[in-house]
Amino acid sequence: MSNDGVTAVERALSVLDCFKPGAEHLSLADFSARMSLHKTTIFRLLNSLVRCGYVVREIDGRYSLGPRVLYLARVYERGFDLDAVVMPVLELLSAETGESAAYYVESGEPGHRLCLFRHQPHEGLHSQVLAGTVMPPDLSSTGRVFAIWAQGKYPNNERLPLYSRGARDPYTSSWSTPIVGDDDRFVGALTIAGPTARLDHVDKAHFESLILGHAQELSKRLGASAEILDALYK
């Protein structure tokens, strides 16, 4: 079967994508400025979305998201399983690199981080940080991600992923990159770690490409906008 999709459905969804924080109420002219579609086409799409409850037409003629969107958000929230989203990424990244892959989130104290999920190959020598471990601030790649991005600052001159060699202990090296989610907020870090003696001889550009690609997909699954995905991972 073909997986080309339905153009009309994709266009309707692109109308919904025009709504963003700070742009909750849009006129037909606003949509036209944001989309490469004729105003008549946009107007027809809006009418269909209004009839189905995904958009509401206000008294002043502008449009806003409708109650059906909130209903779907509640359904999504109740069925969302972070483990089911993150672990497949870690398993694939670990399989592709042969190294340990982990997902870190903020812990209770500033700068501290919790290893929430982790996956490592079954054979060979690997980093021994276990899921559930709380790590203090340090100069490792993951520690630097939290030192920078957990403050809500997204530097535009920081080359990703960050790399560290022997920062936490003299035998371990790692790559780490921030993960962003809903409202483009920093939510965690994706990390590859392994013995320095082995990582010194890998194709570093390939490893960096792998972690950035998976970080982009994970952030997308967690609700990051297309703009922040392009800014961070490309």
Side-chain angles (χ1 to χ4, degrees), residues 3-67:
N3 62 352
D4 290 341
V6 179
T7 300
V9 174
E10 293 173 359
R11 285 179 171 179
L13 293 175
S14 68
V15 170
L16 295 178
D17 282 340
C18 289
F19 293 105
K20 300 181 185 301
E24 296 89 354
H25 308 274
L26 300 174
S27 66
L28 183 58
D30 292 329
F31 285 106
S32 182
R34 289 165 168 78
M35 304 177 68
S36 58
L37 294 175
H38 193 277
K39 276 189 178 182
T40 302
T41 301
I42 298 172
F43 182 68
R44 291 169 59 195
L45 291 169
L46 284 167
N47 284 342
S48 293
L49 291 168
V50 168
R51 283 196 295 270
C52 294
Y54 291 96
V55 168
V56 172
R57 190 172 189 274
E58 300 168 348
I59 296 176
D60 62 3
R62 295 188 299 170
Y63 298 86
S64 60
L65 289 173

Side-chain angles (χ1 to χ4, degrees), residues 133-208:
T133 302
V134 175
M135 308 292 291
D138 56 35
L139 295 178
S140 68
S141 62
T142 314
R144 286 157 54 205
V145 166
F146 278 87
I148 299 170
W149 275 270
Q151 311 306 315
K153 301 175 182 178
Y154 298 170
N156 56 17
N157 59 348
E158 193 77 56
R159 183 178 181 275
L160 296 177
L162 301 184
Y163 176 74
S164 64
R165 184 181 188 277
R168 189 172 59 83
D169 66 63
Y171 310 107
T172 304
S173 293
S174 64
W175 285 270
S176 186
T177 191
I179 300 297
V180 292
D182 188 43
D183 287 338
D184 293 342
R185 292 175 296 181
F186 170 77
V187 294
L190 180 63
T191 298
I192 304 171
T196 297
R198 188 165 63 231
L199 293 184
D200 275 348
H201 302 286
V202 302
D203 183 343
K204 290 181 171 57
H206 180 58
F207 271 47
E208 291 177 354

Side-chain angles (χ1 to χ4, degrees), residues 59-87:
I59 296 176
D60 62 3
R62 295 188 299 170
Y63 298 86
S64 60
L65 289 173
R68 188 66 183 172
V69 175
L70 178 59
Y71 169 75
L72 292 181
R74 295 277 172 78
V75 173
Y76 173 78
E77 189 176 52
R78 292 183 63 177
F80 182 77
D81 181 355
L82 185 60
D83 184 299
V85 173
V86 175
M87 281 307 299

